[in-house]
PDB file of all heavy atoms in Angstrom:
ATOM      1  N   THR A 904      49.921  -1.168  10.441  1.00 94.00           N
ATOM      2  CA  THR A 904      48.826  -1.075  11.423  1.00 94.00           C
ATOM      3  C   THR A 904      48.553   0.363  11.822  1.00 94.00           C
ATOM      4  O   THR A 904      47.394   0.778  11.952  1.00 94.00           O
ATOM      5  CB  THR A 904      49.171  -1.919  12.665  1.00 94.00           C
ATOM      6  OG1 THR A 904      49.465  -3.257  12.246  1.00 94.00           O
ATOM      7  CG2 THR A 904      48.022  -1.936  13.646  1.00 94.00           C
ATOM      8  N   ILE A 905      49.632   1.145  12.019  1.00 95.00           N
ATOM      9  CA  ILE A 905      49.445   2.569  12.374  1.00 95.00           C
ATOM     10  C   ILE A 905      48.664   3.276  11.270  1.00 95.00           C
ATOM     11  O   ILE A 905      47.753   4.067  11.547  1.00 95.00           O
ATOM     12  CB  ILE A 905      50.815   3.249  12.601  1.00 95.00           C
ATOM     13  CG1 ILE A 905      51.460   2.734  13.892  1.00 95.00           C
ATOM     14  CG2 ILE A 905      50.643   4.774  12.678  1.00 95.00           C
ATOM     15  CD1 ILE A 905      52.910   3.157  14.060  1.00 95.00           C
ATOM     16  N   LEU A 906      49.015   2.983  10.015  1.00 94.00           N
ATOM     17  CA  LEU A 906      48.342   3.660   8.903  1.00 94.00           C
ATOM     18  C   LEU A 906      46.862   3.277   8.854  1.00 94.00           C
ATOM     19  O   LEU A 906      46.001   4.128   8.585  1.00 94.00           O
ATOM     20  CB  LEU A 906      49.037   3.297   7.594  1.00 94.00           C
ATOM     21  CG  LEU A 906      48.815   4.228   6.388  1.00 94.00           C
ATOM     22  CD1 LEU A 906      49.034   5.681   6.755  1.00 94.00           C
ATOM     23  CD2 LEU A 906      49.741   3.824   5.243  1.00 94.00           C
ATOM     24  N   VAL A 907      46.546   1.996   9.123  1.00 94.00           N
ATOM     25  CA  VAL A 907      45.143   1.584   9.147  1.00 94.00           C
ATOM     26  C   VAL A 907      44.387   2.317  10.249  1.00 94.00           C
ATOM     27  O   VAL A 907      43.318   2.901  10.021  1.00 94.00           O
ATOM     28  CB  VAL A 907      45.030   0.051   9.346  1.00 94.00           C
ATOM     29  CG1 VAL A 907      43.584  -0.329   9.688  1.00 94.00           C
ATOM     30  CG2 VAL A 907      45.479  -0.685   8.096  1.00 94.00           C
ATOM     31  N   PHE A 908      44.938   2.324  11.463  1.00 95.00           N
ATOM     32  CA  PHE A 908      44.248   2.962  12.581  1.00 95.00           C
ATOM     33  C   PHE A 908      44.226   4.480  12.439  1.00 95.00           C
ATOM     34  O   PHE A 908      43.250   5.134  12.839  1.00 95.00           O
ATOM     35  CB  PHE A 908      44.892   2.548  13.905  1.00 95.00           C
ATOM     36  CG  PHE A 908      44.410   1.215  14.410  1.00 95.00           C
ATOM     37  CD1 PHE A 908      44.953   0.032  13.935  1.00 95.00           C
ATOM     38  CD2 PHE A 908      43.382   1.145  15.336  1.00 95.00           C
ATOM     39  CE1 PHE A 908      44.492  -1.192  14.364  1.00 95.00           C
ATOM     40  CE2 PHE A 908      42.911  -0.073  15.780  1.00 95.00           C
ATOM     41  CZ  PHE A 908      43.462  -1.257  15.305  1.00 95.00           C
ATOM     42  N   ALA A 909      45.271   5.055  11.836  1.00 95.00           N
ATOM     43  CA  ALA A 909      45.271   6.501  11.585  1.00 95.00           C
ATOM     44  C   ALA A 909      44.129   6.877  10.645  1.00 95.00           C
ATOM     45  O   ALA A 909      43.464   7.908  10.834  1.00 95.00           O
ATOM     46  CB  ALA A 909      46.613   6.920  10.990  1.00 95.00           C
ATOM     47  N   GLN A 910      43.890   6.025   9.650  1.00 93.00           N
ATOM     48  CA  GLN A 910      42.801   6.312   8.726  1.00 93.00           C
ATOM     49  C   GLN A 910      41.442   6.138   9.390  1.00 93.00           C
ATOM     50  O   GLN A 910      40.487   6.848   9.065  1.00 93.00           O
ATOM     51  CB  GLN A 910      42.931   5.422   7.490  1.00 93.00           C
ATOM     52  CG  GLN A 910      44.165   5.760   6.661  1.00 93.00           C
ATOM     53  CD  GLN A 910      44.166   5.125   5.282  1.00 93.00           C
ATOM     54  OE1 GLN A 910      43.151   4.635   4.817  1.00 93.00           O
ATOM     55  NE2 GLN A 910      45.312   5.165   4.613  1.00 93.00           N
ATOM     56  N   LEU A 911      41.330   5.213  10.328  1.00 94.00           N
ATOM     57  CA  LEU A 911      40.065   5.048  11.059  1.00 94.00           C
ATOM     58  C   LEU A 911      39.822   6.239  11.980  1.00 94.00           C
ATOM     59  O   LEU A 911      38.683   6.713  12.102  1.00 94.00           O
ATOM     60  CB  LEU A 911      40.082   3.736  11.845  1.00 94.00           C
ATOM     61  CG  LEU A 911      40.171   2.453  10.986  1.00 94.00           C
ATOM     62  CD1 LEU A 911      40.178   1.220  11.874  1.00 94.00           C
ATOM     63  CD2 LEU A 911      39.032   2.376   9.986  1.00 94.00           C
ATOM     64  N   PHE A 912      40.855   6.744  12.629  1.00 95.00           N
ATOM     65  CA  PHE A 912      40.713   7.982  13.416  1.00 95.00           C
ATOM     66  C   PHE A 912      40.378   9.153  12.490  1.00 95.00           C
ATOM     67  O   PHE A 912      39.604  10.042  12.842  1.00 95.00           O
ATOM     68  CB  PHE A 912      42.007   8.278  14.192  1.00 95.00           C
ATOM     69  CG  PHE A 912      42.136   7.505  15.477  1.00 95.00           C
ATOM     70  CD1 PHE A 912      43.143   6.574  15.649  1.00 95.00           C
ATOM     71  CD2 PHE A 912      41.253   7.731  16.528  1.00 95.00           C
ATOM     72  CE1 PHE A 912      43.264   5.854  16.829  1.00 95.00           C
ATOM     73  CE2 PHE A 912      41.369   7.030  17.721  1.00 95.00           C
ATOM     74  CZ  PHE A 912      42.371   6.085  17.871  1.00 95.00           C
ATOM     75  N   ASN A 913      40.968   9.138  11.298  1.00 93.00           N
ATOM     76  CA  ASN A 913      40.688  10.187  10.313  1.00 93.00           C
ATOM     77  C   ASN A 913      39.226  10.169   9.880  1.00 93.00           C
ATOM     78  O   ASN A 913      38.649  11.208   9.546  1.00 93.00           O
ATOM     79  CB  ASN A 913      41.601  10.012   9.103  1.00 93.00           C
ATOM     80  CG  ASN A 913      41.465  11.131   8.092  1.00 93.00           C
ATOM     81  OD1 ASN A 913      41.228  12.275   8.451  1.00 93.00           O
ATOM     82  ND2 ASN A 913      41.593  10.806   6.826  1.00 93.00           N
ATOM     83  N   ALA A 914      38.601   8.977   9.862  1.00 92.00           N
ATOM     84  CA  ALA A 914      37.178   8.885   9.513  1.00 92.00           C
ATOM     85  C   ALA A 914      36.335   9.698  10.495  1.00 92.00           C
ATOM     86  O   ALA A 914      35.361  10.352  10.106  1.00 92.00           O
ATOM     87  CB  ALA A 914      36.732   7.426   9.510  1.00 92.00           C
ATOM     88  N   LEU A 915      36.699   9.658  11.769  1.00 92.00           N
ATOM     89  CA  LEU A 915      35.977  10.447  12.779  1.00 92.00           C
ATOM     90  C   LEU A 915      36.249  11.935  12.589  1.00 92.00           C
ATOM     91  O   LEU A 915      35.339  12.762  12.694  1.00 92.00           O
ATOM     92  CB  LEU A 915      36.387  10.009  14.188  1.00 92.00           C
ATOM     93  CG  LEU A 915      36.101   8.543  14.552  1.00 92.00           C
ATOM     94  CD1 LEU A 915      36.675   8.219  15.917  1.00 92.00           C
ATOM     95  CD2 LEU A 915      34.603   8.264  14.524  1.00 92.00           C
ATOM     96  N   ALA A 916      37.510  12.274  12.294  1.00 91.00           N
ATOM     97  CA  ALA A 916      37.887  13.683  12.163  1.00 91.00           C
ATOM     98  C   ALA A 916      37.310  14.314  10.899  1.00 91.00           C
ATOM     99  O   ALA A 916      37.041  15.518  10.871  1.00 91.00           O
ATOM    100  CB  ALA A 916      39.406  13.813  12.156  1.00 91.00           C
ATOM    101  N   SER A 917      37.091  13.516   9.853  1.00 89.00           N
ATOM    102  CA  SER A 917      36.671  14.057   8.556  1.00 89.00           C
ATOM    103  C   SER A 917      35.184  14.359   8.470  1.00 89.00           C
ATOM    104  O   SER A 917      34.708  14.831   7.440  1.00 89.00           O
ATOM    105  CB  SER A 917      37.045  13.068   7.439  1.00 89.00           C
ATOM    106  OG  SER A 917      38.432  12.893   7.366  1.00 89.00           O
ATOM    107  N   ARG A 918      34.422  14.110   9.537  1.00 88.00           N
ATOM    108  CA  ARG A 918      32.975  14.321   9.475  1.00 88.00           C
ATOM    109  C   ARG A 918      32.604  15.794   9.419  1.00 88.00           C
ATOM    110  O   ARG A 918      31.469  16.140   9.106  1.00 88.00           O
ATOM    111  CB  ARG A 918      32.294  13.659  10.670  1.00 88.00           C
ATOM    112  CG  ARG A 918      32.393  12.127  10.646  1.00 88.00           C
ATOM    113  CD  ARG A 918      31.748  11.504  11.858  1.00 88.00           C
ATOM    114  NE  ARG A 918      30.333  11.754  11.887  1.00 88.00           N
ATOM    115  CZ  ARG A 918      29.637  12.027  12.992  1.00 88.00           C
ATOM    116  NH1 ARG A 918      30.256  12.107  14.155  1.00 88.00           N
ATOM    117  NH2 ARG A 918      28.345  12.232  12.930  1.00 88.00           N
ATOM    118  N   SER A 919      33.555  16.677   9.723  1.00 86.00           N
ATOM    119  CA  SER A 919      33.285  18.111   9.622  1.00 86.00           C
ATOM    120  C   SER A 919      34.593  18.856   9.439  1.00 86.00           C
ATOM    121  O   SER A 919      35.638  18.450   9.968  1.00 86.00           O
ATOM    122  CB  SER A 919      32.564  18.618  10.877  1.00 86.00           C
ATOM    123  OG  SER A 919      32.393  20.023  10.812  1.00 86.00           O
ATOM    124  N   HIS A 920      34.531  19.950   8.681  1.00 84.00           N
ATOM    125  CA  HIS A 920      35.708  20.793   8.466  1.00 84.00           C
ATOM    126  C   HIS A 920      36.030  21.609   9.717  1.00 84.00           C
ATOM    127  O   HIS A 920      37.209  21.857  10.007  1.00 84.00           O
ATOM    128  CB  HIS A 920      35.444  21.723   7.275  1.00 84.00           C
ATOM    129  CG  HIS A 920      36.490  22.779   7.074  1.00 84.00           C
ATOM    130  ND1 HIS A 920      37.822  22.482   6.843  1.00 84.00           N
ATOM    131  CD2 HIS A 920      36.402  24.149   7.085  1.00 84.00           C
ATOM    132  CE1 HIS A 920      38.503  23.621   6.713  1.00 84.00           C
ATOM    133  NE2 HIS A 920      37.665  24.631   6.854  1.00 84.00           N
ATOM    134  N   LEU A 921      34.991  22.014  10.468  1.00 85.00           N
ATOM    135  CA  LEU A 921      35.200  22.881  11.619  1.00 85.00           C
ATOM    136  C   LEU A 921      34.751  22.277  12.938  1.00 85.00           C
ATOM    137  O   LEU A 921      35.365  22.515  13.983  1.00 85.00           O
ATOM    138  CB  LEU A 921      34.456  24.222  11.415  1.00 85.00           C
ATOM    139  CG  LEU A 921      34.989  25.161  10.327  1.00 85.00           C
ATOM    140  CD1 LEU A 921      34.084  26.377  10.195  1.00 85.00           C
ATOM    141  CD2 LEU A 921      36.410  25.606  10.642  1.00 85.00           C
ATOM    142  N   GLN A 922      33.666  21.515  12.918  1.00 87.00           N
ATOM    143  CA  GLN A 922      33.101  21.014  14.162  1.00 87.00           C
ATOM    144  C   GLN A 922      33.935  19.870  14.738  1.00 87.00           C
ATOM    145  O   GLN A 922      34.465  19.042  14.005  1.00 87.00           O
ATOM    146  CB  GLN A 922      31.666  20.540  13.932  1.00 87.00           C
ATOM    147  CG  GLN A 922      30.876  20.308  15.207  1.00 87.00           C
ATOM    148  CD  GLN A 922      29.425  19.954  14.886  1.00 87.00           C
ATOM    149  OE1 GLN A 922      29.138  18.839  14.463  1.00 87.00           O
ATOM    150  NE2 GLN A 922      28.527  20.892  15.085  1.00 87.00           N
ATOM    151  N   SER A 923      34.027  19.839  16.066  1.00 90.00           N
ATOM    152  CA  SER A 923      34.802  18.804  16.732  1.00 90.00           C
ATOM    153  C   SER A 923      34.223  17.423  16.428  1.00 90.00           C
ATOM    154  O   SER A 923      33.011  17.240  16.328  1.00 90.00           O
ATOM    155  CB  SER A 923      34.799  19.029  18.244  1.00 90.00           C
ATOM    156  OG  SER A 923      35.352  17.919  18.921  1.00 90.00           O
ATOM    157  N   ALA A 924      35.127  16.431  16.311  1.00 89.00           N
ATOM    158  CA  ALA A 924      34.697  15.052  16.061  1.00 89.00           C
ATOM    159  C   ALA A 924      33.920  14.489  17.237  1.00 89.00           C
ATOM    160  O   ALA A 924      33.168  13.523  17.085  1.00 89.00           O
ATOM    161  CB  ALA A 924      35.917  14.171  15.772  1.00 89.00           C
ATOM    162  N   PHE A 925      34.079  15.100  18.425  1.00 90.00           N
ATOM    163  CA  PHE A 925      33.426  14.577  19.623  1.00 90.00           C
ATOM    164  C   PHE A 925      31.982  15.052  19.755  1.00 90.00           C
ATOM    165  O   PHE A 925      31.266  14.606  20.642  1.00 90.00           O
ATOM    166  CB  PHE A 925      34.235  14.965  20.870  1.00 90.00           C
ATOM    167  CG  PHE A 925      35.613  14.358  20.877  1.00 90.00           C
ATOM    168  CD1 PHE A 925      36.711  15.093  20.457  1.00 90.00           C
ATOM    169  CD2 PHE A 925      35.793  13.034  21.248  1.00 90.00           C
ATOM    170  CE1 PHE A 925      37.976  14.530  20.439  1.00 90.00           C
ATOM    171  CE2 PHE A 925      37.056  12.461  21.235  1.00 90.00           C
ATOM    172  CZ  PHE A 925      38.150  13.209  20.821  1.00 90.00           C
ATOM    173  N   VAL A 926      31.548  15.964  18.870  1.00 88.00           N
ATOM    174  CA  VAL A 926      30.146  16.387  18.830  1.00 88.00           C
ATOM    175  C   VAL A 926      29.386  15.344  18.008  1.00 88.00           C
ATOM    176  O   VAL A 926      29.667  15.138  16.835  1.00 88.00           O
ATOM    177  CB  VAL A 926      29.995  17.789  18.200  1.00 88.00           C
ATOM    178  CG1 VAL A 926      28.522  18.157  18.080  1.00 88.00           C
ATOM    179  CG2 VAL A 926      30.745  18.825  19.015  1.00 88.00           C
TER     180      VAL A 926
END
Side-chain angles (χ1 to χ4, degrees):
T904 305
I905 290 170
L906 200 49
V907 167
F908 278 82
Q910 293 193 14
L911 296 180
F912 278 116
N913 185 34
L915 299 175
S917 297
R918 293 178 64 219
S919 176
H920 171 60
L921 291 176
Q922 194 175 75
S923 170
F925 297 98
V926 176

